[in-house]
């Protein structure tokens, strides 16, 4: 890691209160994100994976301050000389920072306002940031449409006139409008068919090379993450359980949860025998997590220590961090070849 990453998250927490009764008395906390620390370098893609309910999207929204964190620091380098703590700046300061970090949303059918034209949708970030207006705004939006592979002559059409893949390209153009350094992509291809997924992923790779973008790529599909990521972070019940370079994590996983996720990755080779790991039970309740290691009720390697002592996230090999008491001892199986 470099001394000054583009994004450095330390001890990020986001708790939602559990209220009860007529007086809405707080009786507990849902620990959606509980002490997450991660880094993203300039020009890097960090894949963030886990089951539904693991806290992936909440991490992304906290980083962009769409949600206010409960605790933690989010150090974001907005230019070569200025770093801000996104978690602890005022709304006024945040407005000045927002153009440098944008989001691509999951569902292209609901993330675009059906009452607005494409010119309105893609041009709105430019207006809010006071970067362009009038003819200049139209010119810049037309250029963005060309960049993402759409025709500028369709600027005055509405979202319903476009396919799902085209709508997601419009969402990408909107995220690019203010020339950001960081883009949080929240499951940007999960609502698309396989061939369209590949087109959007290739587009994101091309844009990264052209504009020097950094991505936090949130997904549940590890085969998608493998295609686009440089490093991968695995979440379970609001915590990171493993972080490693992509090749290391896919072929030499060190956490049992990572092994189970990798066993579900499809392979195009029919001669490869797959041993799918079916985890018992459901993902733990973040409002009432189990003692010790949160994963222990579902882990096939569980020992007594796992039920009593929470493991720390520690580096067991260069760049590979794991939250498991027995990571060095376990011989886990990687993704199908």
């Amino acid at each position: 890691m470099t001394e000054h990453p583009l994004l450095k998250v330390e001890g990020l927490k986001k708790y939602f209160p559990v209220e009860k009764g007529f007086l809405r008395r707080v009786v507990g906390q849902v620990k959606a994100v509980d002490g997450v620390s991660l880094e993203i370098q300039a020009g890097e893609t960090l894949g963030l994976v886990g089951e539904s309910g693991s806290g992936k999207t909440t991490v992304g929204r906290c980083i962009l301050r769409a949600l206010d964190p409960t605790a933690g620091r989010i150090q974001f380098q907005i230019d070569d000389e200025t770093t801000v703590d996104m978690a602890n700046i005022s709304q006024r300061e945040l407005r000045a920072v927002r153009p440098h970090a944008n989001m691509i949303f999951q569902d292209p059918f609901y993330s675009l306002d059906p009452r607005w034209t494409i010119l309105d949708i893609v041009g709105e970030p430019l207006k809010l940031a006071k970067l362009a207006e009038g003819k200049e705004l139209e010119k810049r939006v037309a250029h963005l449409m060309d960049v993402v592979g759409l025709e500028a002559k369709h600027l005055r059409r509405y979202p319903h006139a476009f396919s799902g893949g085209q709508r997601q390209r419009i969402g990408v153009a909107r995220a690019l409008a203010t020339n950001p350094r960081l883009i949080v992509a929240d499951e940007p291809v999960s609502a698309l068919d396989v061939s369209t997924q590949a087109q959007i992923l290739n587009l994101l790779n091309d844009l990264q090379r052209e504009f020097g973008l950094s991505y936090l790529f949130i997904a549940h599909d590890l085969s998608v993450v493998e295609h686009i990521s440089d490093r991968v972070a695995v979440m379970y019940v609001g915590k990171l359980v493993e972080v490693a370079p992509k090749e290391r994590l896919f072929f030499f996983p060190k956490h049992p949860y990572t092994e189970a996720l990798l066993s579900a990755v499809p392979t195009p080779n029919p001669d490869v025998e797959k041993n799918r790991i079916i985890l018992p039970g459901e993902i733990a309740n973040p409002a009432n997590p189990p003692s010790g290691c949160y994963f222990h009720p579902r882990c096939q390697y569980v020992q007594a220590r796992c039920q009593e002592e929470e493991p720390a996230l520690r580096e067991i090999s260069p760049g590979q961090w794991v939250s498991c008491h027995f990571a060095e001892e376990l011989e886990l199986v990687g993704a199908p070849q």
Side-chain angles (χ1 to χ4, degrees), residues 29-254:
Q29 300 283 345
V30 175
K31 298 179 179 180
V33 178
D34 194 14
V36 166
S37 298
L38 55 83
E39 294 183 2
I40 300 178
Q41 309 301 318
E44 180 187 37
T45 299
L46 175 66
L48 185 60
V49 301
E51 291 173 276
S52 296
S54 61
K56 311 182 299 296
T57 294
T58 305
V59 168
R61 291 178 180 269
C62 285
I63 287 172
L64 296 183
R65 279 290 296 275
L67 292 172
D68 290 329
T70 302
R73 301 178 68 192
I74 304 169
Q75 299 289 330
F76 177 47
Q77 191 174 31
I78 61 174
D79 57 43
D80 293 339
E81 298 179 352
T82 309
T83 299
V84 297
D85 183 359
M86 294 281 284
N88 296 295
I89 58 177
S90 67
Q91 287 295 325
R92 182 178 179 180
E93 293 170 311
L94 188 59
R95 281 194 292 272
V97 175
R98 284 203 186 281
H100 301 282
N102 286 326
M103 192 166 197
I104 301 170
F105 296 93
Q106 176 176 356
D107 195 329
F109 294 93
Y110 293 100
S111 62
L112 305 180
D113 192 324
R115 300 166 296 179
W116 283 17
T117 66
I118 304 312
L119 177 60
D120 296 327
I121 291 169
V122 180
E124 183 69 5
L126 292 168
K127 289 182 181 179
L128 292 175
K130 295 182 170 58
L131 295 175
E133 59 182 20
K135 291 294 183 182
E136 176 62 22
L137 184 142
E138 185 170 342
K139 180 181 178 181
R140 291 184 64 166
V141 173
H143 174 67
L144 286 165
M145 292 286 280
D146 181 64
V147 165
V148 300
L150 297 175
E151 295 186 65
K153 66 181 182 181
H154 297 150
L155 286 183
R156 286 175 172 79
R157 289 188 177 185
Y158 291 87
H160 72 264
F162 296 88
S163 68
Q166 290 173 324
R167 291 188 195 196
Q168 197 58 294
R169 288 176 186 267
I170 294 165
V172 173
R174 178 175 58 186
L176 284 176
T178 56
N179 195 25
R181 305 190 80 187
L182 173 70
I183 289 180
V184 175
D186 183 13
E187 305 235 23
V189 298
S190 63
L192 307 175
D193 61 63
V194 174
S195 61
T196 308
Q197 283 185 9
Q199 294 171 18
I200 298 299
L201 292 174
N202 290 334
L203 172 64
L204 292 174
N205 279 328
D206 292 342
L207 293 173
Q208 184 173 46
R209 287 190 292 269
E210 183 175 354
F211 298 108
L213 298 169
S214 299
Y215 295 133
L216 175 63
F217 191 92
I218 300 168
H220 65 273
D221 187 340
L222 277 166
S223 59
V224 169
V225 169
E226 184 181 18
H227 182 78
I228 195 170
S229 299
D230 300 300
R231 291 185 302 121
V232 181
V234 181
M235 281 193 75
Y236 187 76
V237 196
K239 295 180 179 291
L240 291 180
V241 297
E242 186 163 5
V243 183
K246 175 179 65 179
E247 291 80 7
R248 186 76 190 170
L249 184 134
F250 271 77
F251 299 118
F252 304 101
K254 286 298 180 181

